[in-house]
Amino acid sequence: MTSTSSPPSTEIKAIFDRIAPVYDELNDRLSMGHHRIWKLMAVKWSEAKEGDDALDVCCGSGDLALLLAKKIGNSGKVTGLDFACEQLAIARSRQAIQCPTISMQWLEGDAMSLPFDSNRFDCATMGYGLRNVTNIPRCLRELHRVLKPKAKAAVLDFHRPSTKPMQIFQEWYLANVVVPTAQDMGLKDEYAYINPSVARFPLGKEQVRLAQAAGFESAIHYPLMGGMMGILVLTK
């Protein structure tokens, strides 16, 4: 992990509030739709099942939470938490259309200070959130605290590849695809944060070490897309 400091959480929150109206369209364009497959994988690895009390941390516009809802059904409950209220508003409107009969709660809150009792949730997901918190160890400790014993969590995020060729490709992709696409949608400044956030994000092995230090019994990191993406699967 580099020594480059993270931007203040208020600045990150403002970014995600501003991009909320086009966030889903940008994800589709920037990943060519692949983010939907990665999210399905994360939900599968969380082992969410019928009747579970599930948590989606940094839920954004609700993709992972809505996928969890389809797994837990009408007998379960999903809580989506995010610090960006504009993203939560979109998540609520999507739930009303996609999962109107399933118990879902959308809360504005801090991933580093989760407003839940310990040992509450049967499973959890987190998509593109761990990279943006200002204190990763604290966030992992909080996630560990609110999960029931033996519960699983799946954390999906961008990563810095471990091989030089993939690092070069990622830098090219960010500079020549991500930033120009964001610029076309009037969001160049908002998406300029991605490259430095990826550069300072811990590699998979370091994420495993941090998760174990947070108390997780098992932590396995699965690289995707040549290491440009990854899912950290945790067991309390």
Side-chain angles (χ1 to χ4, degrees):
M1 188 173 182
T2 70
S3 59
T4 305
S5 60
S6 303
S9 59
T10 52
E11 181 180 331
I12 300 171
K13 178 183 184 298
I15 289 172
F16 279 92
D17 273 329
R18 288 197 301 270
I19 67 177
V22 294
Y23 183 65
D24 294 319
E25 181 184 351
L26 268 169
N27 280 341
D28 278 330
R29 289 179 61 177
L30 295 177
S31 72
M32 294 174 287
H34 287 89
H35 74 102
R36 300 185 183 277
I37 298 172
W38 304 327
K39 288 169 181 173
L40 284 169
M41 294 171 68
V43 169
K44 179 180 179 180
W45 273 328
S46 77
E47 297 188 5
K49 61 186 183 301
E50 188 80 21
D52 273 357
D53 189 357
L55 172 66
D56 183 26
V57 183
C58 301
C59 65
S61 59
D63 273 1
L64 281 165
L66 291 166
L67 290 173
L68 285 170
K70 293 174 182 178
K71 289 287 187 181
I72 60 95
N74 290 330
S75 60
K77 179 179 181 179
V78 177
T79 300
L81 178 137
D82 202 283
F83 64 174
C85 57
E86 296 298 327
Q87 295 276 3
L88 290 171
I90 293 172
R92 290 188 187 97
S93 65
R94 293 179 68 193
Q95 180 208 345
I97 297 170
Q98 297 182 33
C99 300
T101 65
I102 296 176
S103 177
M104 300 188 73
Q105 181 181 25
W106 305 98
L107 296 177
E108 184 176 351
D110 185 353
M112 295 181 296
S113 184
L114 296 174
F116 309 114
D117 292 337
S118 299
N119 305 307
R120 169 178 164 178
F121 294 100
D122 298 296
C123 59
T125 55
M126 187 176 189
Y128 309 116
L130 192 64
R131 177 173 44 88
N132 291 311
V133 301
T134 55
N135 189 323
I136 290 174
R138 181 176 171 183
C139 181
L140 289 171
R141 288 195 299 271
E142 276 293 276
L143 184 59
H144 178 272
R145 180 184 64 79
V146 301
L147 287 171
K148 292 179 181 177
K150 305 302 179 183
K152 287 185 178 290
V155 181
L156 166 68
D157 219 314
F158 288 107
H159 289 78
R160 180 163 40 97
S162 57
T163 64
K164 190 63 177 178
M166 288 307 300
Q167 289 175 7
I168 293 171
F169 175 76
Q170 185 183 61
E171 290 172 4
W172 176 89
Y173 187 81
L174 289 170
N176 294 279
V177 178
V178 173
V179 172
T181 299
Q183 185 174 14
D184 288 345
M185 302 180 77
L187 296 169
K188 180 180 178 181
D189 291 342
E190 284 80 359
Y191 268 70
Y193 85 98
I194 290 182
N195 204 342
S197 74
V198 171
R200 63 176 168 263
F201 194 45
L203 294 174
K205 290 182 179 179
E206 177 65 8
Q207 289 180 42
V208 167
R209 188 192 69 77
L210 290 171
Q212 291 170 337
F216 285 98
E217 180 179 296
S218 171
I220 304 173
H221 182 265
Y222 296 95
L224 305 171
M225 292 287 290
M228 292 195 298
M229 287 283 168
I231 299 177
L232 179 67
V233 180
L234 307 170
T235 305
K236 182 169 176 177

